[in-house]
Amino acid sequence: QVQLVESGGGLVQPGGSLRLSCAASGGIGSINAMGWYRQAPGKQRELVATITSGGSTNYADSVKGRFSISRDNAKNTVYLQMNSLKNEDTAVYYCNAAIRQVLAVVFTSYWGQGTQVTVSS
């Protein structure tokens, strides 16, 4: 029932910006932490940014100062504003959220299908 739907990925020039969105839906009781991860070809998936239910954020050193994560609890949505994009930011970006379903007691980690971000001239 629970799904994470991502949007906003695409092709952008170096120095440009993109805004990724990830909306959770389907039998949601509550959402704890949410975050963004990315995986470039031939590399391990890495943490990009996380945000707690209270709004506390954490960023990877490689994106700190350029990316900004935020959330709209009323819409069950997390965003990633990506500015000053570099070629090395090219990767598949995945949304993640710790969600408690309506009929559940504990939180479970869910992943989106991923959205491609390509930074190239």
Side-chain angles (χ1 to χ4, degrees):
Q1 287 279 28
V2 174
Q3 289 186 316
L4 299 179
V5 181
E6 301 165 327
S7 62
L11 175 65
V12 65
Q13 296 184 97
S17 299
L18 281 176
R19 182 173 179 264
L20 305 182
S21 299
C22 175
S25 63
I28 296 174
S30 61
I31 303 178
N32 203 326
M34 305 183 81
W36 290 94
Y37 295 72
R38 68 185 182 186
Q39 186 169 23
K43 297 184 178 180
Q44 297 286 332
R45 186 174 299 186
E46 65 175 349
L47 172 69
V48 176
T50 60
I51 183 168
T52 68
S53 60
S56 180
T57 60
N58 186 46
Y59 299 91
D61 290 339
S62 59
V63 307
K64 196 170 186 178
R66 299 187 297 118
F67 292 8
S68 180
I69 188 171
S70 61
R71 64 191 288 168
D72 186 333
N73 292 332
K75 297 181 179 180
N76 293 328
T77 300
V78 62
Y79 306 93
L80 184 67
Q81 179 65 48
M82 309 165 68
N83 300 323
S84 301
L85 283 162
K86 305 175 181 179
N87 290 334
E88 49 264 44
D89 293 319
T90 295
V92 177
Y93 284 70
Y94 297 90
C95 173
N96 176 263
I99 300 173
R100 181 183 63 78
Q101 296 186 78
V102 172
L103 300 179
V105 177
V106 300
F107 286 86
T108 301
S109 181
Y110 291 87
W111 291 91
Q113 295 183 14
T115 183
Q116 178 70 49
V117 172
T118 302
V119 184
S120 177
S121 59

